[in-house]
Amino acid sequence: MAKQFFVLGIGGTGMRCIESLIHLCAMGMFDDTIIHLLALDTDKNNGNFGRLKELKEAYLNAKGLKEQDRVAHKDTFFSANIKYYEFSPDYEKKSSFKDVFNYGDTQFKNSEETDLADLLLDRNVEEFNLQHGYRAQPHLGSMMMYQSIVEAAQSNDRNGIKDFVSALITETTSGKAKVFILGSVFGGTGASSIPIIPQALSQAAQVKSNGNAAILPNTYFGSTLLTAYFNFNIADKDQIEQQKVIATSDKFALNSKVAMMFYDEDATVRSIYQRFYMMGTSDLSWNPMQSTSNKNTKTITGGAEQKNDSHYIELFAACAALDFLNYNDNNLQQNKNNFKTDYVYRAVSNDYKFEFKDFVGTTREKEFAKKLGCLVAFALFNNGVDDFVEKARSGEDKEIVGFDGIDPSQVIYLKQYFRLFFAKMIEGGALEEGWLRQIHRSAGGGDKFLLNAELFAPQTMKDLMKFAWNKNLYRSEGIGKDNKYKVYITSSKFNKFKDAFLDKLNNGKDTGIANPGERIYKIIYDTLTELYNF
């Protein structure tokens, strides 16, 4: 029976961490798992939120166009079944704290309440527009987010909070649930939400179940404590006057330090969370909007323009979620009984050359290498000249039969996923970076990140198609150095793969997968892992 896992991504950083988690799912790292995935952000028009939704649509529909056709599998690509939910507080009509608080009426009827608000919040914090998030004001954001989640549970309308909480109630009724939160502690929305999410979910469940749900005693909670790892342009005087409150990256390191002191000292937080994953970088020079920074010198506070590039630390965060899912329940229960929280971290080498074990530990490093490399190979021969799955579906390749039941749209979504995963061809045949190429660049480029530097060198689709992924996928040392396959001078890397695929198709054991799209993914997976000698 598939495992159930509940994950929340909060704020802009949380959205990018979810992206990395979905890519891990596509590799097959979350085998035999149903992931209930809640994207939670105040800024529903945020560019990273939009990119996440595009990725989510590509993943789900590459798995199957109908929800009932999507099930969790093992030892294949796209093995996890994702149940996706999203929620954004409605700040369209009431867009500031004063609006939400009904400050004018409250001041007239209960002036002591507005006096308390004025004591705790300065005027700009009370008046700035909440639609772009809480802007490094977690003292305000925690209160606002808690209220929004509870109000969503009380609403008569269907929404992502109610659906997510309903699934969580079902899981805690029959056993223990695991909830993992992805977000930062140095900004606004994530920093505001991590401390209050367990209580907010518990209260929402109480509302939804008429007081019958017991979320807190039957749930293990884990979270990232993701500290500062990037910077952005400092706002000018005019922009500050207009926006009233703007987060500034020069304060991120201080915000991170204060936040970590809070998590270390707050007894309530430590009594609810069983495991914290501490992570960050010593270098804050990463500009997440490098590709557009020369076009816009203003600070982007949110909206569609805020589409930050992916960073390797977000992959670390997604791997932390993977670790929490597989962490021993008995140890988590012991922590829960003793009101104890484990603080864990993983260091990398001083030269910042990343190894597979840095992300998943030594027990899973070979699995991670296998699944990442094979997904890259699948992307290369299915999103360029060869277009393997479409040729099998359409009957263009006469030797491959049995896949005419794949819906053409499923193949389109598969190709869209690979464009988001690795690269997309744009005007003139040039390549636009996908997630993996951005991650490689954030790690310093060259041979510092897991795979062969030659994989990331091509700048056009034509040059990319020349890359010898059969023998040059991995670096020349470490895990993967011996995982390659040769081709004879009369053949090609693709033809050798196709011959091995046909042998699996015609002579291999039954996959047991009914969906023809997922069946071909499974055979491709088995073929590649065998060719690469894993």
Short mmCIF file of all heavy atoms in Angstrom, two decimals, residues 369-396:
data_model
loop_
_atom_site.label_atom_id
_atom_site.label_comp_id
_atom_site.label_asym_id
_atom_site.label_seq_id
_atom_site.Cartn_x
_atom_site.Cartn_y
_atom_site.Cartn_z
N ALA A 369 22.07 8.85 -8.04
CA ALA A 369 22.86 8.98 -9.27
C ALA A 369 22.17 8.27 -10.43
O ALA A 369 22.08 8.81 -11.54
CB ALA A 369 24.25 8.39 -9.05
N LYS A 370 21.69 7.08 -10.18
CA LYS A 370 21.01 6.30 -11.21
C LYS A 370 19.78 7.04 -11.71
O LYS A 370 19.59 7.22 -12.93
CB LYS A 370 20.60 4.94 -10.65
CG LYS A 370 19.71 4.11 -11.57
CD LYS A 370 19.34 2.77 -10.96
CE LYS A 370 18.34 2.92 -9.84
NZ LYS A 370 17.88 1.60 -9.33
N LYS A 371 18.94 7.49 -10.81
CA LYS A 371 17.65 8.05 -11.20
C LYS A 371 17.77 9.43 -11.82
O LYS A 371 17.03 9.76 -12.76
CB LYS A 371 16.71 8.04 -10.00
CG LYS A 371 16.34 6.62 -9.58
CD LYS A 371 15.35 6.56 -8.43
CE LYS A 371 14.90 5.13 -8.19
NZ LYS A 371 13.90 5.01 -7.10
N LEU A 372 18.69 10.25 -11.32
CA LEU A 372 18.91 11.56 -11.94
C LEU A 372 19.49 11.38 -13.34
O LEU A 372 19.00 11.98 -14.32
CB LEU A 372 19.84 12.41 -11.09
CG LEU A 372 20.31 13.73 -11.71
CD1 LEU A 372 19.13 14.63 -12.05
CD2 LEU A 372 21.29 14.46 -10.79
N GLY A 373 20.53 10.57 -13.46
CA GLY A 373 21.17 10.39 -14.77
C GLY A 373 20.23 9.81 -15.80
O GLY A 373 20.20 10.26 -16.96
N CYS A 374 19.45 8.80 -15.41
CA CYS A 374 18.55 8.17 -16.37
C CYS A 374 17.43 9.11 -16.80
O CYS A 374 16.98 9.07 -17.95
CB CYS A 374 17.98 6.88 -15.78
SG CYS A 374 19.19 5.55 -15.66
N LEU A 375 16.96 9.98 -15.87
CA LEU A 375 15.94 10.95 -16.27
C LEU A 375 16.51 11.96 -17.27
O LEU A 375 15.83 12.37 -18.21
CB LEU A 375 15.38 11.67 -15.05
CG LEU A 375 14.20 12.62 -15.34
CD1 LEU A 375 12.99 11.86 -15.83
CD2 LEU A 375 13.84 13.45 -14.11
N VAL A 376 17.77 12.36 -17.06
CA VAL A 376 18.42 13.26 -18.02
C VAL A 376 18.50 12.60 -19.39
O VAL A 376 18.17 13.22 -20.41
CB VAL A 376 19.82 13.66 -17.53
CG1 VAL A 376 20.60 14.39 -18.64
CG2 VAL A 376 19.73 14.55 -16.29
N ALA A 377 18.93 11.34 -19.44
CA ALA A 377 19.01 10.64 -20.72
C ALA A 377 17.64 10.56 -21.38
O ALA A 377 17.50 10.80 -22.60
CB ALA A 377 19.57 9.23 -20.50
N PHE A 378 16.59 10.24 -20.62
CA PHE A 378 15.22 10.18 -21.14
C PHE A 378 14.84 11.54 -21.72
O PHE A 378 14.27 11.63 -22.82
CB PHE A 378 14.29 9.80 -19.99
CG PHE A 378 12.86 9.53 -20.39
CD1 PHE A 378 12.45 9.44 -21.73
CD2 PHE A 378 11.89 9.34 -19.41
CE1 PHE A 378 11.13 9.19 -22.07
CE2 PHE A 378 10.57 9.08 -19.73
CZ PHE A 378 10.18 9.01 -21.07
N ALA A 379 15.18 12.62 -21.02
CA ALA A 379 14.85 13.96 -21.51
C ALA A 379 15.54 14.26 -22.83
O ALA A 379 14.96 14.85 -23.74
CB ALA A 379 15.25 15.00 -20.46
N LEU A 380 16.79 13.83 -22.95
CA LEU A 380 17.56 14.16 -24.15
C LEU A 380 17.05 13.43 -25.39
O LEU A 380 17.03 14.01 -26.48
CB LEU A 380 19.04 13.84 -23.92
CG LEU A 380 19.76 14.72 -22.88
CD1 LEU A 380 21.20 14.29 -22.73
CD2 LEU A 380 19.67 16.19 -23.25
N PHE A 381 16.64 12.16 -25.26
CA PHE A 381 16.19 11.48 -26.48
C PHE A 381 14.68 11.59 -26.68
O PHE A 381 14.15 11.04 -27.63
CB PHE A 381 16.66 10.02 -26.53
CG PHE A 381 16.06 9.09 -25.52
CD1 PHE A 381 14.74 8.70 -25.59
CD2 PHE A 381 16.85 8.56 -24.51
CE1 PHE A 381 14.21 7.81 -24.67
CE2 PHE A 381 16.33 7.67 -23.59
CZ PHE A 381 15.00 7.31 -23.67
N ASN A 382 14.00 12.32 -25.80
CA ASN A 382 12.57 12.47 -26.00
C ASN A 382 12.14 13.92 -26.20
O ASN A 382 10.97 14.19 -26.37
CB ASN A 382 11.80 11.89 -24.79
CG ASN A 382 10.35 11.64 -25.12
OD1 ASN A 382 10.02 10.73 -25.85
ND2 ASN A 382 9.47 12.47 -24.58
N ASN A 383 13.08 14.83 -26.21
CA ASN A 383 12.72 16.24 -26.34
C ASN A 383 13.57 16.94 -27.40
O ASN A 383 13.71 18.14 -27.39
CB ASN A 383 12.88 16.95 -25.00
CG ASN A 383 12.04 18.22 -24.92
OD1 ASN A 383 11.02 18.33 -25.57
ND2 ASN A 383 12.49 19.17 -24.13
N GLY A 384 14.11 16.14 -28.28
CA GLY A 384 14.93 16.72 -29.34
C GLY A 384 14.57 16.12 -30.68
O GLY A 384 13.41 16.05 -31.08
N VAL A 385 15.56 15.58 -31.36
CA VAL A 385 15.35 15.04 -32.70
C VAL A 385 14.55 13.74 -32.66
O VAL A 385 13.69 13.49 -33.50
CB VAL A 385 16.71 14.81 -33.39
CG1 VAL A 385 16.51 14.14 -34.75
CG2 VAL A 385 17.47 16.13 -33.54
N ASP A 386 14.81 12.89 -31.67
CA ASP A 386 14.27 11.54 -31.69
C ASP A 386 12.81 11.44 -31.25
O ASP A 386 12.05 10.68 -31.83
CB ASP A 386 15.14 10.62 -30.82
CG ASP A 386 16.53 10.47 -31.40
OD1 ASP A 386 16.62 10.14 -32.59
OD2 ASP A 386 17.51 10.71 -30.68
N ASP A 387 12.39 12.19 -30.22
CA ASP A 387 10.99 12.23 -29.81
C ASP A 387 10.42 10.82 -29.66
O ASP A 387 9.42 10.45 -30.27
CB ASP A 387 10.20 13.03 -30.84
CG ASP A 387 8.92 13.63 -30.26
OD1 ASP A 387 8.65 13.38 -29.08
OD2 ASP A 387 8.21 14.33 -30.98
N PHE A 388 11.04 10.03 -28.83
CA PHE A 388 10.83 8.58 -28.78
C PHE A 388 9.39 8.17 -28.46
O PHE A 388 8.79 7.35 -29.16
CB PHE A 388 11.79 7.98 -27.75
CG PHE A 388 11.70 6.50 -27.62
CD1 PHE A 388 12.25 5.66 -28.58
CD2 PHE A 388 11.06 5.92 -26.54
CE1 PHE A 388 12.16 4.28 -28.47
CE2 PHE A 388 10.98 4.54 -26.41
CZ PHE A 388 11.53 3.72 -27.38
N VAL A 389 8.80 8.74 -27.40
CA VAL A 389 7.47 8.31 -26.97
C VAL A 389 6.42 8.65 -28.02
O VAL A 389 5.51 7.85 -28.29
CB VAL A 389 7.11 8.94 -25.60
CG1 VAL A 389 5.67 8.60 -25.21
CG2 VAL A 389 8.07 8.44 -24.53
N GLU A 390 6.53 9.80 -28.65
CA GLU A 390 5.54 10.17 -29.67
C GLU A 390 5.63 9.24 -30.88
O GLU A 390 4.60 8.87 -31.45
CB GLU A 390 5.75 11.63 -30.09
CG GLU A 390 4.89 12.08 -31.28
CD GLU A 390 3.39 11.89 -31.06
OE1 GLU A 390 2.95 11.78 -29.89
OE2 GLU A 390 2.66 11.86 -32.07
N LYS A 391 6.82 8.84 -31.25
CA LYS A 391 6.95 7.92 -32.39
C LYS A 391 6.34 6.56 -32.05
O LYS A 391 5.76 5.90 -32.92
CB LYS A 391 8.42 7.77 -32.78
CG LYS A 391 8.98 9.01 -33.48
CD LYS A 391 10.43 8.80 -33.91
CE LYS A 391 10.95 10.03 -34.66
NZ LYS A 391 12.36 9.88 -35.06
N ALA A 392 6.48 6.15 -30.78
CA ALA A 392 5.87 4.89 -30.37
C ALA A 392 4.35 5.03 -30.33
O ALA A 392 3.61 4.12 -30.75
CB ALA A 392 6.39 4.49 -28.99
N ARG A 393 3.85 6.15 -29.85
CA ARG A 393 2.41 6.37 -29.74
C ARG A 393 1.73 6.45 -31.12
O ARG A 393 0.68 5.84 -31.36
CB ARG A 393 2.12 7.66 -28.97
CG ARG A 393 0.63 7.95 -28.76
CD ARG A 393 0.33 9.42 -28.68
NE ARG A 393 0.55 10.10 -29.96
CZ ARG A 393 -0.30 10.11 -30.96
NH1 ARG A 393 -1.44 9.43 -30.89
NH2 ARG A 393 0.00 10.75 -32.08
N SER A 394 2.36 7.20 -32.02
CA SER A 394 1.74 7.47 -33.32
C SER A 394 1.88 6.32 -34.31
O SER A 394 1.19 6.29 -35.33
CB SER A 394 2.37 8.73 -33.92
OG SER A 394 3.75 8.51 -34.23
N GLY A 395 2.76 5.37 -34.01
CA GLY A 395 3.00 4.27 -34.94
C GLY A 395 4.04 4.62 -36.00
O GLY A 395 4.29 3.81 -36.90
N GLU A 396 4.66 5.80 -35.87
CA GLU A 396 5.70 6.17 -36.84
C GLU A 396 6.86 5.18 -36.79
O GLU A 396 7.44 4.85 -37.83
CB GLU A 396 6.20 7.59 -36.55
CG GLU A 396 7.26 8.07 -37.52
CD GLU A 396 7.74 9.48 -37.24
OE1 GLU A 396 7.07 10.22 -36.50
OE2 GLU A 396 8.81 9.85 -37.76
#
